[in-house]
Amino acid sequence: MQDELKKRACELLADGTVNRVLGWSAGDFFYDITPTVFESAEDINKNFVYNDFCGANLSKYLIAESQKEGKIAVFLKPCDTYSFNQLMTEHRLKRENIYAVGIPCDGKVSAETLHDAGIHGILAVKKDGDDLVCDTVYGEKRMAFDVAQDERCRSCKSRKHVVYDELIGEEGEVLDSHRFDEVEKLEAMTPEERFNFWQGELSRCIRCNACRNVCPACNCELCVFDNPKSGVFSKAASNDFEDANFHIIRAFHVAGRCTDCGECSRVCPEHIPLHLLNRKFIKDIDTLYGDYQAGEKEGQMSPLSAFTEDRDAEPSIVQKGGIR
Amino acid sequence: MQMTNDNETWEPKIIAFCCNWCSYSGADLAGTNRLNYPANVKIIRVPCSCRINPMFILRAFQRGADGVIICGCHPGDCHYMTGNYHTRRRMTLLFSMLDYLGIEKERTRVEWVSAAEGQRFVDVMNDFVGQITKLGRCRRLEDLRCRTN
Ligand code: SF4
Ligand code: SF4
Ligand code: SF4
């Protein structure tokens, strides 16, 4: 696949369709992937990478890149195309400056998961049946691919590209994921158990803001958490209020716009399950206002911008325990 | 974490956000009619119930509130036409999220109170204060640095 993408990227540059290509390159290690803009075929041939570690969603980078001179090609995995549509809906992209290439994805892995499982010195990885085989300096190591892949890929909602100018590979399908299972487990707990669960998770937050900065929905030029007058301290949390405040507000701001792309949970250095917050909103919205998938189509009206006069549930439904 | 009201001097602190056009006038009417509602209810006037940013509610809990109630015009009667329709969706989702994080769902409420419903305002507040008194103190989001007593 990598060679195919490289070839296509070079062609797009050569025939003048675009003057830049947004893709991935590797850092010191081959699994150390970073989004990169390429300007020449030479650069692409030398540095362009597409492998099992290319989880990074490139769509948010288009906010800045599409404002520049000339057209840019971008490679989008299925979940990234939902973010792309959502950004289009929010008028954040200059569509005429973008050439979107849909590419297939069968689940991404992060090196951290492998390291945590005690697999170090990784030289190469490949799939073998249901396993991920790692060639390491200590010999061959195996891990079930299902366990190795990122949470969002394990509960992938769709392998379908919802927008593209060109598709490489085959059109996938919307999947029947079980992404709300964990949310339901939490809902079944007592308030005290839930509080303790979240205290355990959120108190690890070091307020690095990676979850916000990587999120395609968090595309405000000025964020509430950057406002020195807000009285919200963006430094590491000192108590439960600070933690809950940051996390509730962040999740609330993206409610109805979050495509569940999973970037926030992927980048969190503290492994805080942010998707459990986002999915609670998604689940409640689906239950109360009808099934809604942000980014499915361009131009959709967010359920938090819309209302019905006579059919919306009253807030007392929460007290009655009705949303579960 | 949860403290029961074994402390005899404990009185619940309730923050009531009231919309200027309906509920605040409703509270005013209760006052001019000399109807009593509990003194633990601190009213904050807002131009419209949809002016309420979720952060206001979190802030109230940060500063020691035990319950937060939002009062606005009845659906269809918003002075700005659609404000309370937005409040209705937002607060439903927010309260559900607060409950999900362990802030009991009984501590938050939305009630529609018109300018003519002075008695209803009083009944709602009495009921809410009773509910919060039963639940006891809310310490889960309290910020000790904000304590004044
Ligand atoms: S947290 Fe809220 S204000 Fe900040 S970038 Fe995200 S959506 Fe915007
Ligand atoms: S909140 Fe997380 S899952 Fe949702 S759009 Fe942002 S990064 Fe993606
Ligand atoms: S990425 Fe994780 S640690 Fe960083 S601010 Fe977000 S939740 Fe906190």
Side-chain angles (χ1 to χ4, degrees):
Chain A
M1 183 50 62
Q2 173 169 310
D3 292 337
E4 204 175 326
L5 298 193
K6 274 185 170 177
K7 187 165 150 273
R8 191 62 194 128
C10 292
E11 283 168 14
L12 287 169
L13 276 179
D15 68 16
T17 310
V18 298
N19 66 4
R20 287 158 300 142
V21 173
L22 179 52
W24 303 266
S25 66
D28 289 346
F29 301 98
F30 81 101
Y31 50 72
D32 198 3
I33 299 295
T34 186
T36 309
V37 176
F38 300 90
E39 293 186 1
S40 69
E42 234 182 301
D43 197 10
I44 291 174
N45 285 323
K46 199 161 147 237
N47 298 318
F48 186 99
V49 172
Y50 186 62
N51 61 25
D52 294 321
F53 298 92
C54 291
N57 177 347
L58 302 178
S59 58
K60 192 178 187 184
Y61 297 87
L62 293 170
I63 297 175
E65 286 300 324
S66 72
Q67 300 300 325
K68 296 181 184 165
E69 198 69 26
K71 221 168 169 166
I72 186 162
V74 61
F75 292 106
L76 300 175
K77 303 187 296 303
C79 50
D80 307 344
T81 61
Y82 286 78
S83 311
F84 185 92
N85 262 347
Q86 188 59 33
L87 284 163
M88 283 300 298
T89 302
E90 294 170 15
H91 309 289
R92 302 294 277 132
L93 306 179
K94 255 194 185 163
R95 186 66 176 93
E96 63 274 21
N97 281 350
I98 302 167
Y99 187 80
V101 184
I103 56 170
C105 170
D106 45 13
K108 296 294 173 198
V109 178
S110 74
E112 258 188 298
T113 318
L114 301 176
H115 289 160
D116 287 350
I119 304 177
H120 296 281
I122 308 164
L123 301 170
V125 296
K126 67 169 187 300
K127 262 202 206 151
D128 177 24
D130 289 339
D131 282 353
L132 185 73
V133 184
C134 308
D135 181 17
T136 78
V137 292
Y138 308 106
E140 192 187 284
K141 297 269 167 72
R142 279 175 174 264
M143 192 172 179
F145 186 75
D146 196 45
V147 178
Q149 68 182 338
D150 292 344
E151 190 285 335
R152 58 156 172 201
C153 303
R154 210 174 301 131
S155 53
C156 179
K157 63 184 179 297
S158 169
R159 292 276 158 88
K160 183 180 151 83
H161 294 82
V162 287
V163 59
Y164 53 81
D165 294 315
E166 168 185 330
L167 186 65
I168 295 182
E170 289 190 3
E171 180 86 66
E173 284 180 13
V174 175
L175 305 177
D176 182 16
S177 79
H178 299 283
R179 60 191 174 126
F180 298 120
D181 289 3
E182 290 292 314
V183 176
E184 279 163 16
K185 269 189 216 154
L186 276 168
E187 285 173 346
M189 295 179 180
T190 66
E192 175 140 25
E193 287 168 340
R194 281 199 292 270
F195 182 77
N196 292 339
F197 169 83
W198 282 112
Q199 194 178 37
E201 297 291 343
L202 303 183
S203 60
R204 296 200 308 275
C205 176
I206 54 171
R207 210 68 91 244
C208 65
N209 285 335
C211 51
R212 175 196 71 174
N213 294 355
V214 80
C215 171
C218 271
N219 56 45
C220 312
E221 283 171 13
L222 260 182
C223 172
V224 278
F225 300 116
D226 292 336
N227 177 0
K229 288 194 185 145
S230 70
V232 173
F233 312 107
S234 43
K235 212 164 152 273
S238 40
N239 59 26
D240 294 340
F241 167 75
E242 293 284 337
D243 286 328
N245 186 52
F246 176 78
H247 289 279
I248 294 172
I249 300 295
R250 185 206 62 80
F252 189 80
H253 282 189
V254 299
R257 308 189 298 117
C258 162
T259 62
D260 202 7
C261 73
E263 282 290 88
C264 46
S265 294
R266 182 183 70 86
V267 298
C268 178
E270 294 292 333
H271 302 293
I272 295 171
L274 296 161
H275 54 275
L276 295 180
L277 294 173
N278 306 326
R279 285 179 193 167
K280 170 65 177 164
F281 277 126
I282 297 175
K283 182 171 173 284
D284 282 356
I285 287 173
D286 284 356
T287 313
L288 292 170
Y289 311 120
D291 282 349
Y292 180 82
Q293 172 59 54
E296 194 178 8
K297 287 192 208 78
E298 192 187 321
Q300 294 180 117
M301 173 80 125
S302 153
L304 270 159
S305 309
F307 60 82
T308 68
E309 291 183 6
D310 46 359
R311 277 175 290 114
D312 284 359
E314 287 297 326
S316 58
I317 193 171
V318 178
Q319 278 79 45
K320 292 174 193 147
I323 312 191
R324 282 174 206 165
Chain B
M1 283 305 293
Q2 195 71 31
M3 283 275 285
T4 45
N5 24 347
D6 43 14
N7 177 352
E8 281 188 7
T9 59
W10 180 76
E11 289 271 348
K13 284 197 201 106
I14 311 287
I15 298 296
F17 290 101
C18 293
C19 120
N20 182 43
W21 304 99
C22 294
S23 314
Y24 193 80
S25 307
D28 216 23
L29 184 66
T32 40
N33 287 350
R34 303 199 175 267
L35 299 172
N36 279 329
Y37 68 88
N40 347 37
V41 179
K42 312 288 178 211
I43 297 182
I44 298 179
R45 180 164 63 158
V46 286
C48 174
S49 59
C50 100
R51 168 66 181 91
I52 297 159
N53 176 329
M55 233 185 235
F56 293 1
I57 295 166
L58 297 175
R59 289 246 165 225
F61 285 118
Q62 176 196 22
R63 289 162 194 220
D66 302 301
V68 177
I69 182 165
I70 291 170
C71 300
C73 313
H74 287 271
D77 291 344
C78 175
H79 186 78
Y80 306 100
M81 314 310 285
T82 57
N84 52 5
Y85 292 130
H86 291 293
T87 308
R88 188 161 63 178
R89 282 202 172 189
R90 285 179 199 158
M91 294 307 146
T92 308
L93 292 174
L94 181 69
F95 294 173
S96 178
M97 177 54 86
L98 283 170
D99 184 50
Y100 187 65
L101 265 82
I103 316 305
E104 300 95 335
K105 53 190 189 294
E106 292 80 11
R107 293 194 186 275
T108 46
R109 201 193 272 194
V110 171
E111 291 282 354
W112 313 121
V113 178
S114 82
E117 294 175 323
Q119 185 61 51
R120 183 171 146 71
F121 181 85
V122 169
D123 295 344
V124 161
M125 290 306 156
N126 279 321
D127 186 58
F128 192 56
V129 171
Q131 185 173 321
I132 300 299
T133 310
K134 250 185 261 155
L135 270 174
R137 265 204 163 125
C138 181
R139 285 258 169 84
R140 290 195 177 149
L141 289 185
E142 191 187 358
D143 188 338
L144 293 178
R145 297 168 301 179
C146 296
R147 274 242 175 124
T148 49
N149 55 1

